[in-house]
Amino acid sequence: MVTELEKKWQKKWQEAKLFESNPDNREKMYVTVAFPYPSGAMHVGHGRTYTVPDVYARFKRMQGFNVLFPMAWHVTGAPVVGIAKRIERHDKWTMDIYKNVHQVPEDELEKFVDPEYIVKYFSSEYHNDMVDMGYTIDWRREFRTIDPHYKQFVRWQIRQLKDKNLIRKGSHPVKYCPDDANPVGDHDLLEGEGVGINELTLIKFPYEDSYLVAATFRPETLYGATNFWLNPDEEYVKVEYEGEKWIISKLAYGNIIHQKESMKIIEEVDAKDFIGKTVQNPITNDPLPIFPASFVDADYATGVVFSVPAHAPADYIALEDIKKNTQAIEKYNLQEQIDNIKITSLVNLKGYSKFPAKDFLDAYNVTSQDDENLKEATNEIYKKEHAKGIMNENTGEFEGRRVADVRDEVIEKLLNENIADKLYEFAEKPVICRCGAKCVVKELHDQWFVKYSDKEWTQKAYDCLEQLDVVPNEIRSNFEYYLDWLEDWACSRRLGLGTHMPWDEKWLIEPLTDSTIYMAYYTIAKYMKDINAEDLNDAFFNKVFLDKDGANDGSVNKIPEDITEKIQKEFQYWYPLNWRLSAKDLVGNHLSFHMFHHAAIFPQKYWPKGITVFGMGLLEGQKMSSSKGNVILLSEAIDKYGADTVRLFLMSSAEPWQDFDWREKEVNGIQRRLEAIIEFPQKVESLIGEPLKLAIENNAPIVEKPINKWIISQINRKISTATDALEKFQTRKALQSSLFLFRKDVEYYLNRITIIGEEEKETLIYLVNTWIRLLSPFIPYATEEIWDTYNDDDVFISTLDWPVACEDLIDEKIEKSEEIVQDLAKDIKEIIKITKSNPEVVHLYTAPSWKYEVYNIAQEVGKPNIGEIIHKAMDANLCDNKKELSKFATKAGKNFNKINYVGVVDEVSVITDAREYLESEIGAKIEVYDKPTYDPQNKAQNASPYKPAIYLE
């Protein structure tokens, strides 16, 4: 259950309209995150996704920015239609997932036969979970992508692209669900998100009255084919296609029929009957024996493979395997054919042998065709030969030319001679629709496409990328790759929820195409409830978003001028978008589309300014997956641990772009830390012996005692680090500073102070007041409660000023002084432990001034040049004992960069001031010397700056 404390603050924030963002005279900060597709319950992986922007929004709000953080629900597309169908037929797996993983009550599940009810149910659940997590969302801007007002916005967007000649009609291979009879995008998939579609060349090898048809990425290697591979454990069929008879696998037929619709099965054939026989190489006319191979995947391409062992690691290793397989050789009588195999080299690759396939097998330590490294070896050789390979004398007319330059010519030659055909196939399998069906590649005709291949448009997208920040910056190269790589995108569907193409009503606009610039719609969404959706036309949107009058379709703006102007000003205040946050697997589609569409539709001043990407979520080391039941629901986590604990763990376990791992043991540890923070103000109150009062103004007190100066210095250093980290979305680093290291300093400080005077009282109050502000973006409920308990002003901590580090209060010498004390306590305890002694007195000898002078010389030299340090120290005549001077100068040269030298510190004064603390820590009397007036074991000679020598007595 959500706690009473959490409900209390939710209600107070709501009543105060605290997170409703309206234009004013402050600098704005507009942050959005990918809106969710609510086809299931929210889990802790989603929790991480939406907590990151909330922490950032809270942080920027405390810095004085006017922050907008909106939310909506992406319900376009076919996934929920598939779910509704499966619920209707009581599919066992689906019913189990929704009952036991998503925890849908039986009476609600019965209503899931209506796809719109599914999205209504789960978007309401998402909304509630986000409220419970304490997100600072402006809920006035909430919408679903099937709302009539939003549909009008989508129609405007798609017409903008068509008017700019960026939409075309044609044929194109797409991911396709045969059960739904509909193209699918990544949002429609259970498995296979981000998988590309490859174009393969089909080579027809004559065999009796038919052709064995093999697919290849590398048709130029046909010149070096040595044999054929079939998998004798799989089913094959003879089919008729355009007057020819082809032999392919039965599974392949089930895929290919969606591209070559006239293909029909004639009969089933047994692969074993082909083993040991030969086919003809259509380009060299050489006979190629057919061998058995387990690596042949009957579900990939045609299930038929020709072998080029010189350049294909799988073929080379399979050939080696068959040579050792005496059982298969005997069964199919293959010995003579195997003995006659002559491997032919086709491509010269600098730095590799005549047969580079073997080189790559050795490099990846591949020992059989079932080795998991075989795929890596294959990918690497294909890339290298394509980039740097030169065709050799065995390739006829193509000799001496780059592989990359001849591939298309070889394909054209084979097609012209009717030796080849084309086939599209997934780069990886399986690709599974959310309806549960296995997807195929289908070539769709009469389909609408967004022309991402357009060169001028691609350049504008590059220009957009150039002017925005990317977090982390190393992802920028991924964007550069995808912007150039993107092909035309099928932007329409036949089935699902969504908006119809305005000029072709039989098509629906697909989910990614309708969600590229919705950030602009958020800025005006709060006005939509008072406007008739039918009055929203291109003229209205042109005026609001582009400051243009009229529209290409001749429509005029039906909204009153004063209302239009008000809406336009709201958009102009919030745009451009400051930050867009989304998952790293959307770099190659949604986030790239986001740049393309903004660059096409809006003037440059409204292009987005920043993108941050997220890593994935793990659960106890395993990838989170709702479809596999491997998730913790966010509502469950909140009920068990409380929202603040969940937020704290999700933000501290990894940086946003890294994968995080939800581990119960670690979550429990975070909960204990949170409890300690909540109890801390009460502890301070008991220490100072009077009621704790926290003020809105939070200035550091003026103090004299070194230990108080030290903690104030540490606090300001932590403020600086946390602030810098949050500016870069480094939530883990920010918490490392403002929680974990801060707490360590606090514990040390409380142990270090021996009396609580007025200075300590003021310091402790400053400490609490600063600490809860630094933690407020992460644990809003706890910090609001602490603030409310110890402050009488009618203000929220969420609106207080973010602490600003005062550089004058960060004192390196004070910090070094306390480091000396800490190290001394640790070193003395260690010596006592090793020597098993029980000293009455500990004598401490500080370094003489000449040793500090050597360090000053080392600092002046600026680099670890030991010879120069010794030379300058000798010239300065710092010590009468030249041998000792040389020895210490050598040591200084070696150690200088490790000690963080801050200059001369009065170590005697530092130790004297900390004497009471050290004596209580060690249980012995402390004596400190600047000159060794008593040194029976001559320990003083070991003293270095910041490292007093120690003698136990």
Side-chain angles (χ1 to χ4, degrees):
M1 288 289 291
V2 177
T3 66
E4 288 302 316
L5 182 144
E6 289 166 346
K7 286 180 182 175
K8 166 187 167 181
W9 289 110
Q10 288 166 16
K11 186 169 184 287
K12 283 180 177 286
W13 292 334
Q14 187 178 1
E15 287 171 351
K17 300 182 178 179
L18 200 60
F19 308 123
E20 292 185 5
S21 306
N22 301 305
D24 59 27
N25 58 4
R26 289 176 293 169
E27 186 178 351
K28 62 89 182 177
M29 177 59 61
Y30 181 20
V31 183
T32 70
V33 61
F35 51 16
Y37 190 96
S39 61
M42 201 174 180
H43 57 66
V44 291
H46 300 125
R48 204 271 282 261
T49 297
Y50 299 104
T51 304
V52 172
D54 184 67
V55 166
Y56 185 78
R58 285 178 173 276
F59 160 64
K60 298 308 284 186
R61 192 175 285 107
M62 292 177 75
Q63 281 190 321
F65 287 84
N66 187 10
V67 179
L68 174 58
F69 175 32
M71 188 56 60
W73 317 108
H74 192 200
V75 300
T76 310
V80 287
V81 176
I83 293 163
K85 285 180 182 176
R86 297 203 307 276
I87 296 287
E88 190 170 17
R89 62 177 184 255
H90 285 81
D91 175 79
K92 188 179 176 185
W93 174 81
T94 307
M95 299 296 282
D96 179 64
I97 288 288
Y98 279 87
K99 278 182 189 175
N100 300 318
V101 177
H102 298 298
Q103 298 182 5
V104 180
E106 194 82 46
D107 59 328
E108 290 290 345
L109 197 54
E110 291 172 5
K111 302 172 190 173
F112 275 27
V113 293
D114 175 4
E116 290 204 23
Y117 189 82
I118 296 173
V119 297
K120 183 181 176 184
Y121 177 90
F122 283 118
S123 58
S124 298
E125 281 220 338
Y126 261 77
H127 180 117
N128 294 338
D129 287 348
M130 288 181 174
V131 169
D132 290 344
M133 281 291 281
Y135 295 158
T136 56
I137 291 166
D138 184 349
W139 288 110
R140 298 171 303 161
R141 300 170 194 269
E142 180 182 18
F143 64 88
R144 295 187 181 100
T145 54
I146 53 172
D147 291 350
H149 298 78
Y150 184 75
K151 286 183 175 183
Q152 295 288 64
F153 169 75
V154 172
R155 290 188 185 101
W156 169 77
Q157 175 202 324
I158 204 80
R159 276 195 289 257
Q160 283 287 315
L161 297 180
K162 192 163 188 294
D163 289 347
K164 291 174 169 60
N165 196 31
L166 297 173
I167 303 275
R168 71 168 178 86
K169 198 174 194 178
S171 301
H172 205 68
V174 296
K175 295 172 186 170
Y176 187 82
C177 173
D179 279 21
D180 290 338
N182 203 45
V184 291
D186 283 348
H187 283 63
D188 306 319
L189 300 175
L190 286 176
E191 288 186 64
E193 288 186 49
V195 170
I197 294 173
N198 293 328
E199 182 183 291
L200 302 176
T201 304
L202 297 181
I203 311 290
K204 297 183 280 188
F205 292 82
Y207 176 86
E208 297 178 354
D209 66 339
S210 309
Y211 295 99
L212 270 163
V213 180
T216 182
F217 278 119
R218 306 190 59 190
E220 76 280 2
T221 63
L222 186 55
Y223 290 90
T226 58
N227 63 284
F228 237 66
W229 301 113
L230 293 179
N231 191 331
D233 299 322
E234 295 290 348
E235 296 178 310
Y236 287 79
V237 291
K238 185 181 286 188
V239 300
E240 186 177 345
Y241 178 63
E242 294 189 348
E244 297 176 343
K245 294 172 185 173
W246 291 8
I247 295 162
I248 57 175
S249 72
K250 194 170 186 179
L251 284 173
Y253 170 79
N255 296 329
I256 294 173
I257 192 66
H258 297 282
Q259 293 174 48
K260 303 184 182 302
E261 295 171 8
S262 65
M263 185 177 283
K264 289 187 170 47
I265 293 177
I266 302 171
E267 61 180 340
E268 294 192 1
V269 295
D270 189 343
K272 296 182 185 68
D273 294 341
F274 295 83
I275 308 297
K277 295 180 180 174
T278 61
V279 296
Q280 185 183 325
N281 186 326
I283 206 161
T284 66
N285 295 320
D286 294 333
L288 305 177
I290 303 171
F291 295 156
S294 63
F295 78 85
V296 175
D297 181 359
D299 191 33
Y300 182 76
T302 62
V304 177
V305 178
F306 70 87
S307 173
V308 188
H311 304 282
D315 295 335
Y316 191 99
I317 198 76
L319 205 54
E320 292 302 301
D321 284 355
I322 195 70
K323 287 176 184 176
K324 301 171 196 165
N325 190 342
T326 53
Q327 189 178 349
I329 291 171
E330 191 175 323
K331 179 178 179 179
Y332 297 112
N333 192 24
L334 303 177
Q335 191 64 59
E336 185 180 346
Q337 290 176 320
I338 289 172
D339 291 343
N340 288 334
I341 292 286
K342 286 189 174 56
I343 299 179
T344 304
S345 172
L346 301 171
V347 177
N348 296 332
L349 190 59
K350 192 174 179 182
Y352 293 90
S353 72
K354 197 171 163 186
F355 306 133
K358 184 176 187 315
D359 300 336
F360 281 88
L361 288 168
D362 293 342
Y364 282 84
N365 199 27
V366 177
T367 53
S368 80
Q369 59 189 296
D370 300 316
D371 196 306
E372 60 184 18
N373 289 332
L374 181 58
K375 184 178 178 184
E376 291 298 318
T378 301
N379 288 342
E380 196 61 25
I381 189 174
Y382 282 10
K383 277 194 286 188
K384 280 212 163 82
E385 289 197 340
H386 184 264
K388 299 179 180 178
I390 304 296
M391 305 293 281
N392 68 21
E393 67 279 2
N394 295 322
T395 59
E397 63 195 274
F398 301 109
E399 181 185 355
R401 297 178 59 195
R402 293 174 65 243
V403 170
D405 295 335
V406 305
R407 186 165 293 170
D408 287 344
E409 287 184 40
V410 173
I411 293 171
E412 189 176 356
K413 172 183 169 72
L414 298 175
L415 289 170
N416 289 340
E417 295 176 11
N418 197 30
I419 292 170
D421 206 319
K422 285 188 178 181
L423 181 71
Y424 297 101
E425 180 58 287
F426 292 126
E428 292 177 36
K429 287 189 172 184
V431 178
I432 308 291
C433 177
R434 285 190 188 233
C435 76
K438 212 160 64 167
C439 293
V440 297
V441 179
K442 183 176 177 66
E443 192 162 10
L444 279 190
H445 310 285
D446 189 30
Q447 165 73 291
W448 292 101
F449 296 89
V450 183
K451 291 163 62 174
Y452 294 123
S453 62
D454 184 275
K455 295 303 176 191
E456 284 185 27
W457 193 14
T458 299
Q459 184 54 53
K460 286 191 81 173
Y462 268 116
D463 294 342
C464 182
L465 174 63
E466 184 68 26
Q467 55 86 56
L468 58 72
D469 294 320
V470 178
V471 178
N473 193 54
E474 54 265 29
I475 295 290
R476 183 177 292 275
S477 60
N478 294 30
F479 279 113
E480 289 168 351
Y481 168 77
Y482 280 113
L483 292 184
D484 197 43
W485 169 86
L486 277 173
E487 297 290 337
D488 292 354
W489 180 267
C491 62
S492 54
R493 302 285 167 83
R494 297 278 193 184
L495 182 76
L497 305 179
T499 306
H500 287 277
M501 279 284 180
W503 59 84
D504 194 348
E505 287 282 330
K506 68 177 178 287
W507 290 102
L508 285 158
I509 299 166
E510 65 86 36
L512 278 174
T513 307
D514 85 347
S515 59
T516 55
I517 59 166
Y518 65 91
M519 313 82 205
Y521 185 79
Y522 274 136
T523 66
I524 70 170
K526 69 180 188 181
Y527 297 101
M528 292 300 105
K529 65 181 184 301
D530 298 322
I531 292 176
N532 187 336
E534 292 179 4
D535 290 341
L536 297 173
N537 57 21
D538 285 10
F540 167 78
F541 290 119
N542 282 349
K543 184 62 182 172
V544 169
F545 295 128
L546 307 177
D547 197 25
K548 288 182 180 177
D549 294 318
N552 289 354
D553 60 5
S555 61
V556 293
N557 183 14
K558 300 176 184 176
I559 313 299
E561 190 176 333
D562 59 331
I563 295 174
T564 300
E565 188 177 330
K566 187 179 180 183
I567 294 171
Q568 182 184 18
K569 282 182 177 176
E570 176 106 13
F571 163 74
Q572 290 172 342
Y573 176 80
W574 293 115
Y575 245 58
L577 175 67
N578 294 91
W579 286 103
R580 176 66 177 164
L581 292 83
S582 198
K584 62 185 177 185
D585 59 331
L586 298 181
V587 167
N589 46 58
H590 166 71
L591 287 171
S592 292
F593 296 175
H594 172 71
M595 284 184 266
F596 267 98
H597 288 233
H598 272 89
I601 294 171
F602 294 102
Q604 188 165 350
K605 65 179 180 178
Y606 290 142
W607 290 359
K609 295 299 176 189
I611 285 175
T612 299
V613 303
F614 296 120
M616 299 301 168
L618 305 175
L619 174 59
E620 304 292 345
Q622 301 297 312
K623 186 178 177 181
M624 283 193 202
S625 170
S626 298
S627 62
K628 293 175 182 173
N630 189 49
V631 290
I632 298 287
L633 295 191
L634 189 59
S635 57
E636 285 182 304
I638 295 169
D639 288 347
K640 186 171 182 180
Y641 301 106
D644 279 345
T645 299
V646 175
R647 290 174 65 108
L648 207 52
F649 177 80
L650 292 172
M651 295 299 94
S652 65
S653 60
E655 297 297 6
W657 46 90
Q658 298 169 333
D659 295 347
F660 80 96
D661 193 354
W662 179 273
R663 291 186 180 269
E664 189 171 2
K665 186 179 178 183
E666 293 173 18
V667 180
N668 286 326
I670 287 290
Q671 190 169 33
R672 288 192 294 273
R673 287 180 184 269
L674 176 62
E675 289 163 1
I677 293 165
I678 293 168
E679 292 164 3
F680 182 69
Q682 199 173 346
K683 183 177 181 179
V684 168
E685 200 168 55
S686 66
L687 283 171
I688 64 177
E690 61 186 56
L692 176 63
K693 291 292 178 187
L694 302 178
I696 293 174
E697 291 295 322
N698 183 38
N699 298 317
I702 297 169
V703 295
E704 295 299 326
K705 294 180 184 176
I707 187 59
N708 294 330
K709 287 183 176 179
W710 174 81
I711 190 66
I712 288 171
S713 179
Q714 291 296 98
I715 288 169
N716 280 272
R717 195 175 286 283
K718 300 297 186 290
I719 292 169
S720 178
T721 302
T723 304
D724 183 60
L726 282 178
E727 293 287 7
K728 300 169 184 172
F729 290 90
Q730 295 171 322
T731 59
R732 185 177 189 276
K733 185 178 179 181
L735 275 173
Q736 191 69 21
S737 179
S738 59
L739 173 57
F740 301 103
L741 295 176
F742 201 124
R743 184 184 174 197
K744 188 179 174 185
D745 288 343
V746 168
E747 287 173 348
Y748 174 76
Y749 174 71
L750 294 179
N751 192 36
R752 176 79 167 75
I753 53 178
T754 49
I755 59 165
I756 307 290
E758 199 57 37
E759 262 195 28
E760 287 74 25
K761 283 182 185 178
E762 290 181 10
T763 301
L764 283 166
I765 291 167
Y766 170 68
L767 189 156
V768 174
N769 208 339
T770 305
W771 201 6
I772 62 171
R773 293 175 197 232
L774 288 177
L775 292 176
S776 178
F778 300 97
I779 48 172
Y781 292 116
T783 50
E784 285 286 13
E785 186 66 20
I786 291 168
W787 176 253
D788 187 56
T789 304
Y790 298 102
N791 172 268
D792 296 330
D793 298 291
D794 189 20
V795 293
F796 296 96
I797 196 170
S798 302
T799 61
L800 293 183
D801 289 343
W802 179 258
V804 177
C806 177
E807 293 300 320
D808 292 343
L809 295 175
I810 298 175
D811 190 326
E812 287 191 326
K813 283 201 176 183
I814 283 288
E815 290 178 353
K816 181 57 76 175
S817 299
E818 201 56 40
E819 187 183 309
I820 292 169
V821 174
Q822 290 174 342
D823 289 347
L824 268 176
K826 187 170 66 177
D827 290 348
I828 294 167
K829 286 177 183 176
E830 189 63 24
I831 294 169
I832 290 171
K833 182 181 175 184
I834 291 168
T835 59
K836 297 180 180 175
S837 57
N838 188 21
E840 292 181 9
V841 182
V842 177
H843 301 274
L844 303 175
Y845 307 95
T846 61
S849 59
W850 69 263
K851 290 188 177 181
Y852 269 104
E853 289 297 331
V854 173
Y855 270 53
N856 288 338
I857 288 170
Q859 186 177 45
E860 183 187 317
V861 169
K863 54 185 181 294
N865 188 329
I866 293 170
E868 191 176 348
I869 294 168
I870 293 171
H871 177 71
K872 288 196 169 191
M874 290 295 186
D875 284 353
N877 198 26
L878 297 178
C879 177
D880 293 338
N881 187 334
K882 301 303 177 190
K883 185 177 178 182
E884 187 179 358
L885 176 60
S886 175
K887 183 180 175 183
F888 185 76
T890 303
K891 180 182 176 183
K894 289 178 180 176
N895 295 339
F896 185 76
N897 288 342
K898 301 174 186 173
I899 66 161
N900 183 29
Y901 185 67
V902 297
V904 178
V905 171
D906 185 349
E907 296 180 33
V908 172
S909 174
V910 167
I911 296 166
T912 302
D913 181 73
R915 190 197 303 269
E916 190 178 339
Y917 164 73
L918 287 170
E919 288 179 343
S920 67
E921 281 289 296
I922 292 152
K925 188 180 177 186
I926 297 289
E927 294 288 353
V928 58
Y929 306 85
D930 58 350
K931 290 186 175 58
T933 53
Y934 175 76
D935 186 14
Q937 293 189 0
N938 197 25
K939 294 284 187 180
Q941 65 177 345
N942 300 325
S944 295
Y946 313 149
K947 202 79 175 168
I950 301 167
Y951 168 53
L952 307 184
E953 189 174 46

